[in-house]
């Protein structure tokens, strides 16, 4: 064997060992610096779910801060799906956007019952005593 053949085989062997490590490093850089489309899709869907959950919880607990509740639920959902903890301002923006998109439907479904006055005004026609007396007989 000549020296060129040995050097070529060493380079191929080293490249074969280093290629997976380099690919893994580049993949981590891409994940770190380029927004992940699946995260954005998850944020959009989970934010809508969190808003609906907050509205449901707000019906029973009047002291509940629905926005903060929705943000906390969104953070929990993302972590359960395997995403890292996200910035609260980002989550607040997602929750607000989801609420704006769902506002009409939410207000019609999860509207708190309004207090109405049970005093009904009825119109009666004036009757004379004679008419009432004749009806009673």
């Amino acid at each position: 064997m000549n020296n060129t053949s040995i050097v070529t085989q060493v380079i191929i062997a080293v490249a074969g060992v280093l290629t997976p490590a380099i690919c893994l490093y580049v993949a981590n850089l891409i994940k770190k610096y380029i927004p992940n489309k699946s995260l954005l899709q998850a944020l959009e869907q989970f934010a809508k779910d969190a808003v609906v959950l907050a509205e449901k919880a707000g019906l029973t607990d009047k002291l509940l801060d629905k926005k903060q509740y929705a943000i906390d639920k969104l953070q929990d959902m993302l972590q359960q799906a395997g995403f890292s903890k996200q910035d609260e301002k980002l989550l607040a923006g997602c929750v607000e956007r989801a609420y704006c998109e769902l506002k009409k439907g939410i207000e019609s479904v999860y509207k708190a019952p309004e207090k109405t006055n049970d005093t009904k005004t009825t119109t009666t026609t004036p009757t004379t005593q004679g008419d009432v007396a004749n009806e009673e007989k």
Side-chain angles (χ1 to χ4, degrees):
M1 273 192 164
N2 63 20
N3 288 338
T4 333
S5 171
I6 294 173
V7 171
T8 305
Q9 289 177 352
V10 169
I11 291 174
I12 292 173
V14 170
V17 171
L18 291 179
T19 301
I22 292 170
C23 288
L24 182 63
Y25 178 73
V26 170
N28 285 334
L29 286 178
I30 290 172
K31 285 181 184 177
K32 184 176 181 181
Y33 293 109
I34 297 176
N36 193 347
K37 188 174 181 178
S38 65
L39 172 61
L40 297 177
Q41 291 171 339
L43 273 172
E44 184 177 340
Q45 183 58 47
F46 289 163
K48 289 177 182 178
D49 295 342
V51 167
V52 171
L53 287 172
E55 286 298 320
K56 284 181 181 180
L59 289 176
T60 58
D61 186 3
K62 299 297 180 193
L63 299 177
L64 178 71
D65 180 6
K66 291 186 218 176
K67 183 177 179 182
Q68 188 60 47
Y69 182 85
I71 292 170
D72 294 342
K73 283 294 181 187
L74 178 56
Q75 187 73 265
D76 292 343
M77 288 180 205
L78 288 171
Q79 287 181 337
Q80 288 175 359
F83 295 104
S84 62
K85 189 169 183 170
Q86 301 297 318
D87 180 45
E88 193 162 320
K89 289 181 182 179
L90 170 71
L91 299 181
C94 291
V95 165
E96 288 175 10
R97 179 173 181 236
Y99 180 77
C100 289
E101 289 177 4
L102 300 172
K103 183 177 181 181
K104 190 173 184 178
I106 285 174
E107 289 176 348
S108 66
V109 174
Y110 298 109
K111 185 190 310 182
E114 294 180 9
K115 294 180 181 177
T116 58
N117 294 336
D118 290 329
T119 56
K120 296 180 181 177
T121 56
T122 57
T123 57
T124 57
T125 55
T127 59
T128 60
Q129 286 182 344
D131 291 339
V132 173
N134 289 337
E135 289 179 13
E136 290 178 2
K137 290 182 182 181

